[in-house]
């Protein structure tokens, strides 16, 4: 499908431009800043502190959650530097990113089984799974994997906000559970949320690996070999989210063959995935109990 042609009269570039000038721009600089820090091995605590502190409500939320992580909310951590000492640089990046991105997912309206909070739950589950696969299977920190999982469906939010009428029709087409979101989008819009999300990620100058993961999370076979691992991991984790029934389902019709081939490609075992899903569900339960989700 040529992404410049569509059935709505609105091209991907136009949709992404609208998003870029809207409330998306309020999360843009902080998300871009954190992604840059993650991808620069020389980045410092001071840089993260500067980014978080440009946004006082975000600073307050990050400190509140940092306190509850280890102290049951007794409020011992008073600034970002202390938070890094007590909970670690990686955890703090994750908390800040979560708190900023979730601003886009607040509206409660439910349409044909979709709502932003349900999509948010799906994205957090996917982010945790991606991180655990990198940590437990590849022995890496998995920070970029967390970002890929958290933002893989960002294109859905763009469509929800800027093509709302058409997006409702897409959801209606998926309502029976037999059609995947991607297929309904291509049929009705002429493009899908992977292409929209990928275009936004490019505009925000994300690293190529992240752009490809967002752009191919339902079709990892499209990815060039050097970016394959993160794209395939994101695909696998999205598939696992659908199977475990957490949050919104963007692919209710599962392709078990592609899933098995993807596991083989990365040398992953189905049993290890079960352990990882269990770990994710425990973490989601913990976050839900504490009101972080
Ligand atoms: Fe998706
Ligand atoms: Fe998804």
């Amino acid at each position: 499908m040529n992404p410049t042609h569509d059935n709505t009269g609105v091209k991907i570039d136009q949709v992404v431009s609208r998003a870029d000038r809207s409330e998306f721009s309020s999360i843009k600089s902080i998300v871009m800043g954190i992604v840059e820090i993650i991808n620069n091995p020389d980045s410092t605590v001071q840089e993260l502190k500067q980014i978080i502190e440009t946004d006082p409500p975000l600073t307050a939320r990050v400190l509140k959650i940092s306190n509850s992580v280890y102290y049951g909310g007794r409020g011992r951590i008073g600034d970002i530097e202390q938070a890094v000492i007590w909970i670690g640089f990686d955890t703090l990046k994750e908390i800040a990113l979560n708190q900023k991105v979730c601003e886009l997912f607040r509206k409660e309206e439910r349409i044909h089984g979709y709502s932003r909070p349900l999509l948010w739950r799906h994205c957090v589950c996917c982010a945790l799974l991606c991180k655990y696969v990198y940590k437990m299977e590849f022995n890496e920190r998995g920070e970029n994997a967390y970002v890929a999982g958290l933002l893989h469906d960002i294109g859905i939010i763009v469509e929800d906000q800027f093509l709302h009428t058409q997006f409702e029709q897409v959801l209606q087409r998926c309502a029976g559970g037999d059609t995947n979101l991607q297929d309904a989008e291509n049929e009705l819009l002429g493009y899908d949320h992977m292409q929209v999300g990928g275009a936004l990620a490019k505009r925000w100058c994300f690293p190529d690996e992240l752009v490809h993961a967002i752009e191919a999370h339902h079709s990892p076979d499209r990815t060039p070999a050097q970016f394959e691992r993160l794209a395939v991991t994101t695909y696998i984790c999205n598939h696992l989210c659908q199977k475990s029934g957490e949050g919104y389902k963007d692919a209710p019709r599962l392709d078990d063959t592609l899933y098995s081939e993807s596991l083989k490609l990365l040398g992953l075992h189905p049993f290890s995935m079960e352990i990882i899903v269990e770990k994710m569900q425990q973490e989601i339960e913990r976050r839900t109990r504490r009101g972080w989700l």
Side-chain angles (χ1 to χ4, degrees):
M1 181 76 62
N2 182 343
T4 59
H5 285 88
D6 59 83
N7 302 328
T8 63
V10 186
K11 292 184 172 66
I12 289 185
D13 281 353
Q14 289 171 297
V15 184
V16 171
S17 289
R18 282 186 207 167
D20 214 28
R21 291 195 302 269
S22 69
E23 66 179 285
F24 272 69
S25 62
S26 71
I27 74 155
K28 178 179 168 177
S29 62
I30 287 176
V31 171
M32 280 172 70
I34 296 174
V35 168
E36 216 177 294
I37 286 183
I38 287 172
N39 284 280
N40 177 6
D42 299 325
S43 58
T44 63
V45 171
Q46 276 305 321
E47 285 166 325
L48 181 64
K49 178 179 150 84
Q50 271 168 15
I51 290 173
I52 295 174
E53 287 183 349
T54 55
D55 184 333
L58 174 67
T59 309
R61 292 201 306 272
V62 167
L63 291 178
K64 190 177 164 201
I65 292 183
S66 302
N67 274 297
S68 68
V69 170
Y70 282 112
Y71 297 109
R74 277 183 276 146
R76 289 189 196 175
I77 298 174
D79 65 42
I80 299 296
E81 272 168 327
Q82 269 181 306
V84 171
I85 294 166
W86 286 104
I87 67 170
F89 198 25
D90 288 351
T91 308
L92 198 73
K93 281 179 254 180
E94 197 180 293
I95 290 173
L97 193 67
N98 262 25
Q99 287 303 303
K100 200 62 206 169
V101 175
C102 82
E103 289 177 14
L104 297 176
F105 290 76
R106 285 206 179 118
K107 202 166 133 200
E108 285 288 345
E109 187 189 7
R110 198 164 175 135
I111 321 160
H112 302 298
Y114 162 87
S115 73
R116 288 190 201 175
L118 273 177
L119 180 62
W120 176 241
R121 191 179 177 94
H122 166 74
C123 292
V124 175
C125 290
C126 194
L128 288 169
L129 289 172
C130 287
K131 182 177 79 172
Y132 295 154
V133 168
Y134 266 66
K135 275 196 164 175
M136 295 162 67
E137 300 295 318
F138 305 147
N139 239 334
E140 291 177 24
R141 280 156 67 198
E143 293 169 299
N144 247 342
Y146 187 88
V147 181
L150 197 69
L151 296 177
H152 77 283
D153 275 333
I154 191 88
I156 297 181
I157 286 285
V158 175
E159 289 176 6
D160 176 359
Q161 284 200 27
F162 303 101
L163 289 171
H164 192 71
T165 309
Q166 295 91 330
F167 182 62
E168 280 185 339
Q169 291 163 2
V170 167
L171 291 173
Q172 192 167 16
R173 183 69 55 96
C174 300
D178 293 328
T179 308
N180 286 341
L181 186 69
Q182 179 198 357
D183 297 332
E185 289 169 320
N186 278 314
E187 194 182 319
L188 294 167
L189 305 176
Y191 45 79
D192 58 45
H193 66 278
M194 292 189 288
Q195 290 168 304
V196 175
L200 189 74
K202 262 184 214 149
R203 191 174 283 236
W204 287 8
C205 303
F206 281 3
D208 289 343
E209 189 191 31
L210 264 178
V211 173
H212 282 286
I214 292 171
E215 231 168 29
H217 68 267
H218 293 282
S219 314
D221 36 350
R222 290 180 189 172
T223 315
Q226 74 264 41
F227 304 119
E228 202 170 55
R229 193 164 67 148
L230 186 59
V232 175
T233 301
T234 311
Y235 163 77
I236 289 171
C237 295
N238 190 62
H239 182 103
L240 291 170
C241 286
Q242 316 297 314
K243 275 217 152 160
S244 61
E246 296 285 357
Y248 174 66
K249 288 191 174 178
D250 56 357
R253 199 166 40 77
L254 292 170
D255 183 342
D256 287 322
T257 311
L258 182 58
Y259 175 69
S260 303
E261 284 168 0
S262 303
L263 287 184
K264 258 189 223 147
L265 186 76
L266 299 187
L268 299 169
H269 196 278
F271 181 65
S272 314
M273 296 302 102
E274 281 174 33
I275 293 171
I276 283 171
V277 167
E278 219 168 276
K279 187 172 160 65
M280 174 276 283
Q281 285 172 324
Q282 284 165 2
E283 178 60 17
I284 287 291
E285 204 187 299
R286 190 176 76 96
R287 290 187 184 195
T288 307
R289 251 194 340 263
R290 294 187 172 191
W292 301 344
L293 208 66

